[in-house]
Amino acid sequence: MNIDYSQKIPNNVGLSDDRTLQRALEHWQPEFLNWWADMGPDGSAAFDVYLRTAVSVDPAGWANFGYVKMPDYRWGIFLNPAESDRRIGFGDHKGEPAWQEIPGEYRANLRRIVVTQGDTEPASVEQQRHLGLTAPSLYDLRNLFQINVEEGRHLWAMVYLLHRYFGRDGREEAEALLERRSGDQDNPRILGAFNERTPDWLSFFLFTFFTDRDGKFQLCALAESGFDPLARTTRFMLTEEAHHMFVGESGIARILQRTCEVMNQHKTDDPATLRSLGVIDLPAIQRYLNFHYSVTIDLFGADLSSNAATFYSTGIKGRFEESKLTDDHVLKEATYPVLEISGSEIVTREAPALNALNEKLRDDYIRDTLAGVGRWNKVMQKNGIDFQLTVPHKAFNRQIGSFAGVKVAPDGRIVSAADWEAGVRSWLPTEEDKAYVQSLMGRVAEPGKFAHWIAPPPMGINKQPLDFEYVRFG
Ligand SMILES: [Fe+2]
Ligand SMILES: [Fe+2]
Protein backbone atom coordinates (compact mmCIF):
# COMPACT_ATOMS: atom_id res chain seq x y z
CA MET A 1 0.00 0.00 0.00
CA ASN A 2 2.97 2.32 -0.51
CA ILE A 3 2.35 5.62 -2.17
CA ASP A 4 4.09 6.16 -5.48
CA TYR A 5 6.03 9.43 -5.10
CA SER A 6 7.92 9.04 -8.39
CA GLN A 7 4.90 10.42 -10.24
CA LYS A 8 3.82 14.01 -10.71
CA ILE A 9 0.81 13.26 -8.53
CA PRO A 10 1.67 10.89 -5.65
CA ASN A 11 -1.05 8.28 -5.35
CA ASN A 12 -1.98 4.80 -4.29
CA VAL A 13 -4.82 4.47 -6.79
CA GLY A 14 -2.84 3.24 -9.80
CA LEU A 15 -3.20 6.57 -11.57
CA SER A 16 -0.62 5.69 -14.26
CA ASP A 17 -2.93 2.87 -15.47
CA ASP A 18 -5.58 5.41 -16.49
CA ARG A 19 -3.93 7.86 -18.87
CA THR A 20 -7.02 9.97 -19.49
CA LEU A 21 -7.67 10.50 -15.81
CA GLN A 22 -3.99 11.14 -15.15
CA ARG A 23 -3.88 13.79 -17.87
CA ALA A 24 -7.02 15.48 -16.57
CA LEU A 25 -5.63 15.65 -13.04
CA GLU A 26 -2.23 16.80 -14.27
CA HIS A 27 -4.08 19.62 -15.98
CA TRP A 28 -5.87 20.52 -12.73
CA GLN A 29 -2.61 20.38 -10.70
CA PRO A 30 -1.11 23.71 -11.91
CA GLU A 31 -4.48 25.38 -11.38
CA PHE A 32 -4.44 24.11 -7.80
CA LEU A 33 -0.89 25.44 -7.35
CA ASN A 34 -1.97 28.83 -8.70
CA TRP A 35 -4.83 28.86 -6.23
CA TRP A 36 -2.37 27.95 -3.44
CA ALA A 37 -0.04 30.77 -4.48
CA ASP A 38 -2.95 33.26 -4.46
CA MET A 39 -5.02 32.05 -1.53
CA GLY A 40 -2.73 29.78 0.53
CA PRO A 41 -0.76 30.92 3.61
CA ASP A 42 0.28 34.54 3.14
CA GLY A 43 3.96 35.16 2.48
CA SER A 44 5.01 31.60 3.25
CA ALA A 45 6.36 30.39 -0.10
CA ALA A 46 10.03 30.46 0.92
CA PHE A 47 9.64 28.97 4.42
CA ASP A 48 11.02 25.54 5.30
CA VAL A 49 8.40 23.89 7.47
CA TYR A 50 8.82 20.77 9.58
CA LEU A 51 5.84 18.87 8.13
CA ARG A 52 4.34 15.44 8.29
CA THR A 53 3.79 13.77 4.92
CA ALA A 54 2.06 10.46 4.31
CA VAL A 55 4.28 7.86 2.62
CA SER A 56 1.75 5.04 2.95
CA VAL A 57 -1.77 4.74 4.32
CA ASP A 58 -1.04 2.08 6.93
CA PRO A 59 -0.50 3.19 10.54
CA ALA A 60 3.30 3.00 10.28
CA GLY A 61 3.66 5.07 7.15
CA TRP A 62 1.45 8.07 7.23
CA ALA A 63 3.52 10.20 9.57
CA ASN A 64 6.89 11.01 8.02
CA PHE A 65 8.50 14.23 9.26
CA GLY A 66 10.93 16.55 7.50
CA TYR A 67 11.47 20.10 6.25
CA VAL A 68 9.37 20.99 3.21
CA LYS A 69 8.72 24.24 1.39
CA MET A 70 4.94 24.34 1.33
CA PRO A 71 4.49 24.88 -2.41
CA ASP A 72 6.60 21.69 -2.83
CA TYR A 73 4.41 19.65 -0.50
CA ARG A 74 3.46 16.43 -2.29
CA TRP A 75 -0.32 16.71 -2.40
CA GLY A 76 -1.57 13.37 -3.54
CA ILE A 77 -4.41 10.90 -3.77
CA PHE A 78 -4.59 8.32 -1.03
CA LEU A 79 -7.38 5.87 -0.33
CA ASN A 80 -7.60 3.37 2.48
CA PRO A 81 -7.20 -0.21 1.22
CA ALA A 82 -10.36 -1.88 -0.08
CA GLU A 83 -12.12 -4.28 2.25
CA SER A 84 -12.88 -7.45 0.34
CA ASP A 85 -16.58 -8.09 -0.15
CA ARG A 86 -17.66 -4.93 1.64
CA ARG A 87 -21.45 -4.69 1.95
CA ILE A 88 -23.72 -1.67 2.29
CA GLY A 89 -24.62 -1.34 5.97
CA PHE A 90 -27.88 0.63 5.92
CA GLY A 91 -30.86 1.86 3.92
CA ASP A 92 -32.81 0.19 1.14
CA HIS A 93 -29.68 -1.52 -0.26
CA LYS A 94 -28.57 -2.93 3.09
CA GLY A 95 -26.64 -6.17 2.61
CA GLU A 96 -25.92 -5.62 -1.10
CA PRO A 97 -22.30 -5.36 -2.25
CA ALA A 98 -20.85 -1.83 -1.95
CA TRP A 99 -20.70 0.02 -5.29
CA GLN A 100 -17.37 0.44 -7.06
CA GLU A 101 -19.00 2.70 -9.67
CA ILE A 102 -21.81 5.20 -9.08
CA PRO A 103 -25.35 3.98 -9.70
CA GLY A 104 -26.73 6.42 -12.31
CA GLU A 105 -29.80 7.39 -10.30
CA TYR A 106 -27.69 8.53 -7.33
CA ARG A 107 -25.17 10.47 -9.31
CA ALA A 108 -26.61 13.95 -8.73
CA ASN A 109 -26.91 13.51 -4.96
CA LEU A 110 -23.45 12.00 -4.65
CA ARG A 111 -21.96 14.82 -6.67
CA ARG A 112 -23.63 17.36 -4.44
CA ILE A 113 -22.24 15.66 -1.32
CA VAL A 114 -18.70 15.42 -2.71
CA VAL A 115 -18.76 19.04 -3.90
CA THR A 116 -20.09 20.34 -0.56
CA GLN A 117 -17.43 18.45 1.38
CA GLY A 118 -14.73 19.46 -1.12
CA ASP A 119 -15.68 23.14 -0.89
CA THR A 120 -14.97 23.32 2.85
CA GLU A 121 -11.32 22.29 2.37
CA PRO A 122 -9.96 25.22 0.33
CA ALA A 123 -12.38 27.49 2.21
CA SER A 124 -10.62 26.90 5.52
CA VAL A 125 -7.20 27.54 3.93
CA GLU A 126 -8.55 30.87 2.66
CA GLN A 127 -10.02 31.73 6.06
CA GLN A 128 -6.69 31.03 7.76
CA ARG A 129 -4.34 32.56 5.22
CA HIS A 130 -3.35 35.63 7.26
CA LEU A 131 -2.79 33.84 10.56
CA GLY A 132 0.82 32.95 9.81
CA LEU A 133 1.70 36.63 10.16
CA THR A 134 0.68 36.62 13.83
CA ALA A 135 1.57 33.10 15.04
CA PRO A 136 2.27 33.03 18.80
CA SER A 137 5.28 30.68 18.28
CA LEU A 138 7.11 28.63 15.65
CA TYR A 139 5.41 25.54 17.09
CA ASP A 140 1.98 27.05 16.44
CA LEU A 141 2.99 28.35 13.03
CA ARG A 142 4.05 24.88 12.01
CA ASN A 143 0.76 23.39 13.23
CA LEU A 144 -1.21 25.96 11.23
CA PHE A 145 0.75 25.11 8.09
CA GLN A 146 0.34 21.37 8.67
CA ILE A 147 -3.41 21.84 8.82
CA ASN A 148 -3.35 24.05 5.71
CA VAL A 149 -1.46 21.54 3.56
CA GLU A 150 -3.74 18.73 4.73
CA GLU A 151 -6.88 20.71 3.91
CA GLY A 152 -5.29 21.18 0.49
CA ARG A 153 -4.89 17.41 0.29
CA HIS A 154 -8.53 16.90 1.31
CA LEU A 155 -9.45 19.04 -1.67
CA TRP A 156 -7.35 16.72 -3.84
CA ALA A 157 -9.21 13.74 -2.37
CA MET A 158 -12.59 15.13 -3.42
CA VAL A 159 -11.29 16.31 -6.81
CA TYR A 160 -10.02 12.81 -7.54
CA LEU A 161 -13.53 11.44 -6.96
CA LEU A 162 -15.04 14.16 -9.17
CA HIS A 163 -12.63 13.48 -12.02
CA ARG A 164 -12.67 9.72 -11.76
CA TYR A 165 -16.40 9.09 -11.32
CA PHE A 166 -18.40 12.09 -12.52
CA GLY A 167 -17.16 12.75 -16.06
CA ARG A 168 -17.50 16.22 -17.51
CA ASP A 169 -19.70 17.61 -14.69
CA GLY A 170 -17.11 16.40 -12.23
CA ARG A 171 -14.33 18.22 -14.06
CA GLU A 172 -16.39 21.41 -14.10
CA GLU A 173 -17.09 21.12 -10.40
CA ALA A 174 -13.35 20.64 -9.76
CA GLU A 175 -12.68 23.93 -11.55
CA ALA A 176 -15.40 25.71 -9.59
CA LEU A 177 -13.84 24.54 -6.31
CA LEU A 178 -10.84 26.72 -7.16
CA GLU A 179 -13.01 29.69 -8.18
CA ARG A 180 -15.26 30.22 -5.16
CA ARG A 181 -13.71 32.29 -2.36
CA SER A 182 -14.45 32.33 1.34
CA GLY A 183 -16.46 35.43 2.21
CA ASP A 184 -16.72 36.63 -1.41
CA GLN A 185 -19.88 38.64 -2.15
CA ASP A 186 -20.37 37.28 -5.66
CA ASN A 187 -18.93 33.77 -5.48
CA PRO A 188 -18.81 32.64 -1.84
CA ARG A 189 -18.08 29.19 -0.45
CA ILE A 190 -21.14 26.96 -0.13
CA LEU A 191 -21.62 26.79 3.65
CA GLY A 192 -22.07 29.69 6.08
CA ALA A 193 -19.37 28.91 8.65
CA PHE A 194 -16.81 28.74 5.83
CA ASN A 195 -17.52 32.32 4.85
CA GLU A 196 -16.85 33.69 8.35
CA ARG A 197 -13.52 35.35 9.03
CA THR A 198 -10.86 33.68 11.17
CA PRO A 199 -9.13 36.91 12.17
CA ASP A 200 -7.10 35.84 15.20
CA TRP A 201 -5.61 32.79 16.92
CA LEU A 202 -8.36 32.48 19.52
CA SER A 203 -10.80 32.12 16.61
CA PHE A 204 -8.43 29.72 14.85
CA PHE A 205 -8.20 27.36 17.82
CA LEU A 206 -11.98 27.43 18.30
CA PHE A 207 -12.47 26.87 14.57
CA THR A 208 -10.23 23.79 14.56
CA PHE A 209 -11.88 22.49 17.73
CA PHE A 210 -15.48 23.05 16.61
CA THR A 211 -15.52 23.29 12.82
CA ASP A 212 -12.90 20.66 12.02
CA ARG A 213 -14.92 18.43 14.34
CA ASP A 214 -17.93 19.02 12.10
CA GLY A 215 -15.59 17.75 9.38
CA LYS A 216 -14.93 14.64 11.45
CA PHE A 217 -18.64 13.86 11.81
CA GLN A 218 -19.44 14.49 8.15
CA LEU A 219 -16.49 12.31 7.13
CA CYS A 220 -17.57 9.57 9.54
CA ALA A 221 -21.06 9.57 7.98
CA LEU A 222 -19.53 9.42 4.48
CA ALA A 223 -17.10 6.68 5.56
CA GLU A 224 -20.22 4.47 5.83
CA SER A 225 -21.26 5.22 2.24
CA GLY A 226 -22.34 2.44 -0.10
CA PHE A 227 -20.17 4.16 -2.72
CA ASP A 228 -16.93 2.43 -1.76
CA PRO A 229 -14.37 4.91 -3.20
CA LEU A 230 -15.99 7.68 -1.13
CA ALA A 231 -15.88 5.51 2.00
CA ARG A 232 -12.19 4.68 1.46
CA THR A 233 -11.24 8.28 0.72
CA THR A 234 -12.94 9.71 3.78
CA ARG A 235 -11.46 7.04 6.07
CA PHE A 236 -7.98 8.20 5.23
CA MET A 237 -8.98 11.87 5.62
CA LEU A 238 -10.13 11.10 9.18
CA THR A 239 -6.61 10.14 10.25
CA GLU A 240 -5.50 13.69 9.37
CA GLU A 241 -8.56 15.39 10.90
CA ALA A 242 -7.62 14.12 14.38
CA HIS A 243 -4.54 16.37 14.40
CA HIS A 244 -6.59 19.43 13.44
CA MET A 245 -8.87 18.95 16.43
CA PHE A 246 -5.85 18.35 18.67
CA VAL A 247 -4.43 21.73 17.62
CA GLY A 248 -7.70 23.43 18.56
CA GLU A 249 -8.24 21.65 21.85
CA SER A 250 -4.65 22.05 23.07
CA GLY A 251 -4.50 25.66 21.83
CA ILE A 252 -7.51 26.69 23.91
CA ALA A 253 -6.23 24.67 26.89
CA ARG A 254 -2.97 26.64 26.73
CA ILE A 255 -4.79 29.98 26.56
CA LEU A 256 -6.89 28.97 29.59
CA GLN A 257 -3.75 27.85 31.41
CA ARG A 258 -2.04 31.21 30.90
CA THR A 259 -5.12 33.18 31.96
CA CYS A 260 -5.50 31.06 35.11
CA GLU A 261 -1.82 31.57 36.00
CA VAL A 262 -2.16 35.35 35.74
CA MET A 263 -5.47 35.30 37.67
CA ASN A 264 -3.74 33.43 40.50
CA GLN A 265 -0.60 35.56 40.42
CA HIS A 266 -2.56 38.79 40.67
CA LYS A 267 -5.51 37.39 42.63
CA THR A 268 -8.06 38.88 40.26
CA ASP A 269 -10.83 37.82 37.92
CA ASP A 270 -11.59 41.36 36.75
CA PRO A 271 -11.63 41.33 32.93
CA ALA A 272 -10.26 44.87 32.57
CA THR A 273 -7.38 44.14 34.95
CA LEU A 274 -6.61 40.89 33.16
CA ARG A 275 -6.59 42.70 29.84
CA SER A 276 -4.16 45.24 31.22
CA LEU A 277 -2.02 42.23 32.18
CA GLY A 278 -2.10 40.97 28.59
CA VAL A 279 -4.22 37.80 28.86
CA ILE A 280 -7.70 36.89 27.59
CA ASP A 281 -10.36 36.92 30.31
CA LEU A 282 -12.46 33.76 30.66
CA PRO A 283 -15.86 35.41 29.91
CA ALA A 284 -14.48 36.62 26.57
CA ILE A 285 -13.37 33.06 25.75
CA GLN A 286 -16.90 31.90 26.60
CA ARG A 287 -18.38 34.46 24.17
CA TYR A 288 -16.03 33.35 21.38
CA LEU A 289 -16.96 29.73 22.15
CA ASN A 290 -20.68 30.58 21.89
CA PHE A 291 -20.13 32.06 18.45
CA HIS A 292 -18.08 29.20 17.02
CA TYR A 293 -20.34 26.55 18.51
CA SER A 294 -23.53 28.07 17.12
CA VAL A 295 -22.25 28.72 13.59
CA THR A 296 -20.80 25.22 13.49
CA ILE A 297 -23.90 23.33 14.58
CA ASP A 298 -25.73 25.11 11.73
CA LEU A 299 -23.48 23.14 9.34
CA PHE A 300 -25.43 19.96 10.06
CA GLY A 301 -28.42 21.47 8.24
CA ALA A 302 -32.14 21.69 8.93
CA ASP A 303 -33.50 19.62 11.84
CA LEU A 304 -35.95 17.88 9.52
CA SER A 305 -34.70 17.17 6.04
CA SER A 306 -36.10 15.01 3.27
CA ASN A 307 -32.67 15.16 1.57
CA ALA A 308 -31.07 13.61 4.62
CA ALA A 309 -33.71 10.86 4.49
CA THR A 310 -32.99 10.24 0.80
CA PHE A 311 -29.21 10.19 1.31
CA TYR A 312 -29.66 7.54 4.00
CA SER A 313 -32.29 5.35 2.33
CA THR A 314 -30.34 5.28 -0.93
CA GLY A 315 -27.18 4.20 0.92
CA ILE A 316 -24.99 7.19 0.11
CA LYS A 317 -24.57 8.75 3.59
CA GLY A 318 -24.83 6.78 6.83
CA ARG A 319 -24.90 7.73 10.49
CA PHE A 320 -21.95 8.29 12.83
CA GLU A 321 -20.62 4.82 13.78
CA GLU A 322 -23.47 3.16 11.87
CA SER A 323 -22.20 -0.37 12.48
CA LYS A 324 -22.17 0.13 16.27
CA LEU A 325 -25.86 1.09 16.34
CA THR A 326 -28.19 -1.75 17.22
CA ASP A 327 -31.40 -0.83 15.35
CA ASP A 328 -32.52 -2.16 11.95
CA HIS A 329 -30.36 0.35 9.92
CA VAL A 330 -33.39 1.08 7.74
CA LEU A 331 -35.33 3.38 10.13
CA LYS A 332 -38.66 3.30 8.30
CA GLU A 333 -40.60 2.89 11.55
CA ALA A 334 -38.23 4.66 13.96
CA THR A 335 -38.64 8.10 15.53
CA TYR A 336 -36.13 10.60 16.89
CA PRO A 337 -36.62 13.57 19.25
CA VAL A 338 -36.35 17.04 17.71
CA LEU A 339 -36.88 20.49 19.22
CA GLU A 340 -39.59 22.86 18.13
CA ILE A 341 -41.25 26.04 19.29
CA SER A 342 -44.63 25.79 20.94
CA GLY A 343 -46.01 29.17 21.99
CA SER A 344 -43.22 30.83 23.90
CA GLU A 345 -41.39 27.64 24.77
CA ILE A 346 -39.03 25.13 23.19
CA VAL A 347 -40.43 21.60 23.40
CA THR A 348 -39.31 18.16 22.28
CA ARG A 349 -41.34 16.03 19.93
CA GLU A 350 -40.78 12.72 18.17
CA ALA A 351 -40.23 13.00 14.40
CA PRO A 352 -39.65 10.28 11.79
CA ALA A 353 -36.04 9.20 12.35
CA LEU A 354 -35.23 9.24 8.65
CA ASN A 355 -36.08 12.91 8.40
CA ALA A 356 -34.22 13.75 11.60
CA LEU A 357 -30.82 12.38 10.56
CA ASN A 358 -29.20 15.82 10.48
CA GLU A 359 -30.38 16.36 14.04
CA LYS A 360 -29.03 12.96 15.09
CA LEU A 361 -25.60 13.74 13.61
CA ARG A 362 -25.69 17.17 15.30
CA ASP A 363 -26.46 15.49 18.65
CA ASP A 364 -23.60 13.01 18.19
CA TYR A 365 -21.36 15.97 17.44
CA ILE A 366 -22.55 17.84 20.51
CA ARG A 367 -21.75 14.86 22.74
CA ASP A 368 -18.19 14.74 21.40
CA THR A 369 -17.86 18.50 21.85
CA LEU A 370 -19.01 18.37 25.46
CA ALA A 371 -16.29 15.86 26.28
CA GLY A 372 -13.68 18.29 24.95
CA VAL A 373 -15.16 21.24 26.85
CA GLY A 374 -15.03 19.06 29.97
CA ARG A 375 -11.29 18.60 29.41
CA TRP A 376 -10.87 22.40 29.14
CA ASN A 377 -12.68 22.81 32.44
CA LYS A 378 -10.07 20.61 34.11
CA VAL A 379 -7.54 23.38 33.42
CA MET A 380 -9.52 25.79 35.60
CA GLN A 381 -10.08 23.10 38.21
CA LYS A 382 -6.36 22.27 38.45
CA ASN A 383 -5.56 25.96 38.88
CA GLY A 384 -8.22 26.33 41.57
CA ILE A 385 -10.24 28.81 39.48
CA ASP A 386 -14.00 28.70 39.97
CA PHE A 387 -15.12 29.06 36.33
CA GLN A 388 -16.61 26.53 33.95
CA LEU A 389 -17.01 26.90 30.19
CA THR A 390 -20.34 25.64 28.85
CA VAL A 391 -21.85 25.26 25.42
CA PRO A 392 -24.96 27.33 24.72
CA HIS A 393 -28.39 25.82 24.09
CA LYS A 394 -28.80 24.15 20.69
CA ALA A 395 -31.27 26.87 19.63
CA PHE A 396 -28.93 29.80 20.43
CA ASN A 397 -27.88 32.07 17.54
CA ARG A 398 -29.04 29.68 14.81
CA GLN A 399 -29.42 30.68 11.15
CA ILE A 400 -30.55 27.28 9.82
CA GLY A 401 -33.39 24.98 10.87
CA SER A 402 -36.49 25.61 12.96
CA PHE A 403 -34.68 28.16 15.18
CA ALA A 404 -33.34 30.29 12.34
CA GLY A 405 -33.74 33.91 13.39
CA VAL A 406 -35.51 33.06 16.68
CA LYS A 407 -34.02 34.96 19.60
CA VAL A 408 -32.93 32.37 22.15
CA ALA A 409 -30.62 33.03 25.11
CA PRO A 410 -27.67 30.67 25.74
CA ASP A 411 -29.72 29.05 28.54
CA GLY A 412 -32.52 28.15 26.10
CA ARG A 413 -35.09 30.84 26.97
CA ILE A 414 -36.88 32.47 24.04
CA VAL A 415 -36.35 36.19 24.60
CA SER A 416 -37.76 39.42 23.22
CA ALA A 417 -35.81 41.59 20.81
CA ALA A 418 -35.13 44.00 23.69
CA ASP A 419 -33.83 41.21 25.95
CA TRP A 420 -31.64 39.95 23.12
CA GLU A 421 -30.18 43.43 22.64
CA ALA A 422 -29.54 43.70 26.37
CA GLY A 423 -27.96 40.25 26.60
CA VAL A 424 -26.03 39.84 23.40
CA ARG A 425 -22.99 41.75 24.66
CA SER A 426 -22.44 39.07 27.27
CA TRP A 427 -23.31 36.21 24.91
CA LEU A 428 -21.35 36.87 21.72
CA PRO A 429 -17.96 38.55 21.13
CA THR A 430 -18.25 42.34 21.25
CA GLU A 431 -16.32 44.79 19.07
CA GLU A 432 -14.18 45.54 22.15
CA ASP A 433 -13.43 41.82 22.62
CA LYS A 434 -12.39 41.50 18.99
CA ALA A 435 -10.23 44.61 19.09
CA TYR A 436 -8.56 43.45 22.32
CA VAL A 437 -7.84 39.94 21.02
CA GLN A 438 -6.55 41.46 17.78
CA SER A 439 -4.25 43.75 19.79
CA LEU A 440 -2.53 40.69 21.28
CA MET A 441 -1.67 39.22 17.90
CA GLY A 442 1.93 39.61 16.73
CA ARG A 443 4.38 37.09 15.34
CA VAL A 444 6.69 35.37 17.81
CA ALA A 445 9.41 33.84 15.67
CA GLU A 446 12.24 32.94 18.05
CA PRO A 447 12.57 29.17 18.67
CA GLY A 448 11.24 28.23 22.10
CA LYS A 449 9.49 31.58 22.70
CA PHE A 450 5.71 31.89 23.10
CA ALA A 451 3.40 34.90 23.10
CA HIS A 452 2.50 36.12 26.58
CA TRP A 453 -1.22 35.22 26.31
CA ILE A 454 -0.67 31.50 25.70
CA ALA A 455 1.19 28.86 27.71
CA PRO A 456 3.76 26.63 25.97
CA PRO A 457 2.53 23.12 25.11
CA PRO A 458 3.68 20.22 27.33
CA MET A 459 5.74 18.74 24.48
CA GLY A 460 6.95 19.41 20.95
CA ILE A 461 6.07 17.83 17.61
CA ASN A 462 7.37 14.31 16.86
CA LYS A 463 9.38 14.28 20.13
CA GLN A 464 11.35 17.38 19.12
CA PRO A 465 12.12 19.89 21.89
CA LEU A 466 9.99 23.01 22.30
CA ASP A 467 12.84 25.23 21.12
CA PHE A 468 13.18 23.26 17.88
CA GLU A 469 13.17 25.43 14.75
CA TYR A 470 9.78 24.23 13.46
CA VAL A 471 9.80 26.84 10.71
CA ARG A 472 12.88 28.30 9.01
CA PHE A 473 12.09 31.58 7.38
CA GLY A 474 14.86 31.22 4.77
FE1 LIG B 1 -10.42 18.75 5.81
FE1 LIG C 1 -9.53 19.68 9.05
Side-chain angles (χ1 to χ4, degrees):
M1 256 311 164
N2 271 332
I3 294 166
D4 185 352
Y5 273 99
S6 67
Q7 308 216 5
K8 258 189 177 168
I9 302 170
N11 72 91
N12 71 348
V13 296
L15 196 56
S16 54
D17 301 336
D18 185 341
R19 290 287 172 192
T20 315
L21 176 63
Q22 189 179 35
R23 256 197 308 275
L25 284 166
E26 285 180 2
H27 180 74
W28 189 82
Q29 189 176 36
E31 296 173 18
F32 168 82
L33 289 170
N34 284 339
W35 167 81
W36 182 269
D38 284 351
M39 296 311 294
D42 201 2
S44 66
F47 299 172
D48 273 314
V49 188
Y50 186 67
L51 290 178
R52 174 181 81 176
T53 306
V55 291
S56 75
V57 294
D58 47 57
W62 66 274
N64 249 47
F65 287 85
Y67 283 102
V68 179
K69 287 203 188 340
M70 278 190 292
D72 302 334
Y73 184 80
R74 302 301 311 275
W75 284 284
I77 300 162
F78 317 133
L79 269 62
N80 262 21
E83 255 172 61
S84 63
D85 192 36
R86 180 170 170 252
R87 304 264 153 179
I88 299 170
F90 60 92
D92 299 341
H93 298 287
K94 196 180 119 188
E96 296 172 18
W99 312 305
Q100 299 308 322
E101 296 290 333
I102 294 173
E105 66 269 41
Y106 302 152
R107 191 187 176 88
N109 278 340
L110 268 166
R111 189 181 64 215
R112 178 167 161 193
I113 284 175
V114 169
V115 167
T116 307
Q117 178 62 43
D119 193 66
T120 66
E121 316 290 357
S124 68
V125 175
E126 291 166 358
Q127 288 170 293
Q128 295 163 16
R129 69 181 303 260
H130 299 300
L131 291 171
L133 305 174
T134 56
S137 71
L138 290 185
Y139 165 93
D140 291 291
L141 184 60
R142 177 263 166 215
N143 284 345
L144 167 72
F145 289 162
Q146 181 74 52
I147 291 174
N148 292 158
V149 293
E150 286 173 353
E151 301 304 6
R153 208 202 63 71
H154 291 176
L155 171 60
W156 270 95
M158 294 296 114
V159 164
Y160 165 72
L161 294 177
L162 289 170
H163 272 253
R164 166 68 180 78
Y165 296 97
F166 295 88
R168 176 195 256 280
D169 317 355
R171 290 192 294 278
E172 285 170 7
E173 294 286 9
E175 305 275 318
L177 283 167
L178 296 177
E179 286 159 9
R180 285 185 287 273
R181 290 286 180 273
S182 176
D184 191 282
Q185 290 287 323
D186 303 322
N187 196 12
R189 292 293 171 186
I190 296 170
L191 300 170
F194 291 91
N195 288 303
E196 297 285 347
R197 294 181 60 238
T198 310
D200 56 65
W201 280 75
L202 177 59
S203 301
F204 170 66
F205 290 133
L206 289 165
F207 184 97
T208 49
F209 179 85
F210 285 111
T211 312
D212 284 78
R213 190 179 310 274
D214 159 71
K216 167 185 163 181
F217 279 80
Q218 300 299 342
L219 293 174
C220 281
L222 296 178
E224 305 287 342
S225 181
F227 177 42
D228 202 45
L230 177 60
R232 291 167 56 201
T233 302
T234 46
R235 277 175 202 184
F236 185 65
M237 290 162 77
L238 279 164
T239 58
E240 293 163 326
E241 211 60 73
H243 172 256
H244 307 179
M245 289 180 291
F246 158 80
V247 168
E249 182 170 330
S250 57
I252 295 297
R254 289 161 51 210
I255 295 176
L256 295 170
Q257 173 63 25
R258 170 61 82 230
T259 300
C260 288
E261 285 167 11
V262 172
M263 287 172 79
N264 282 334
Q265 246 166 39
H266 294 267
K267 308 214 173 347
T268 180
D269 62 2
D270 174 51
T273 310
L274 289 166
R275 288 183 184 196
S276 72
L277 294 165
V279 294
I280 308 174
D281 46 294
L282 301 177
I285 296 173
Q286 177 69 62
R287 288 191 287 277
Y288 270 72
L289 182 161
N290 291 348
F291 172 77
H292 284 273
Y293 177 83
S294 55
V295 300
T296 303
I297 63 173
D298 262 346
L299 289 172
F300 291 87
D303 325 26
L304 293 175
S305 159
S306 56
N307 276 334
T310 304
F311 294 167
Y312 187 82
S313 292
T314 55
I316 65 185
K317 183 179 180 185
R319 288 173 293 175
F320 177 63
E321 298 189 327
E322 182 73 47
S323 59
K324 291 192 188 159
L325 300 168
T326 53
D327 52 35
D328 68 359
H329 303 277
V330 181
L331 307 179
K332 295 268 193 253
E333 313 297 328
T335 63
Y336 190 81
V338 296
L339 300 182
E340 66 177 24
I341 297 171
S342 162
S344 60
E345 268 175 74
I346 295 173
V347 297
T348 303
R349 78 168 172 95
E350 291 293 319
L354 273 178
N355 290 80
L357 284 165
N358 287 345
E359 195 64 6
K360 157 106 179 83
L361 194 58
R362 182 164 24 240
D363 288 340
D364 290 333
Y365 167 87
I366 289 173
R367 246 189 306 282
D368 203 48
T369 298
L370 287 172
V373 173
R375 291 188 290 276
W376 286 339
N377 283 332
K378 294 230 165 64
V379 177
M380 275 72 86
Q381 227 174 47
K382 275 196 193 133
N383 283 281
I385 299 287
D386 182 22
F387 187 99
Q388 298 276 283
L389 292 168
T390 54
V391 303
H393 191 276
K394 215 164 39 165
F396 172 72
N397 193 38
R398 294 289 302 280
Q399 311 300 327
I400 286 176
S402 42
F403 297 103
V406 181
K407 304 226 174 319
V408 179
D411 63 7
R413 279 172 305 121
I414 296 180
V415 296
S416 66
D419 286 349
W420 175 269
E421 278 313 309
V424 70
R425 282 183 54 82
S426 50
W427 300 337
L428 287 172
T430 62
E431 290 312 311
E432 291 86 339
D433 291 340
K434 293 178 195 171
Y436 173 66
V437 172
Q438 198 60 56
S439 77
L440 296 176
M441 300 294 125
R443 181 186 270 174
V444 176
E446 201 181 316
K449 289 269 186 293
F450 289 82
H452 174 73
W453 51 271
I454 187 166
M459 63 179 98
I461 299 292
N462 191 34
K463 304 200 177 85
Q464 299 290 357
L466 282 189
D467 61 0
F468 185 74
E469 201 175 2
Y470 289 103
V471 180
R472 294 175 180 152
F473 292 102

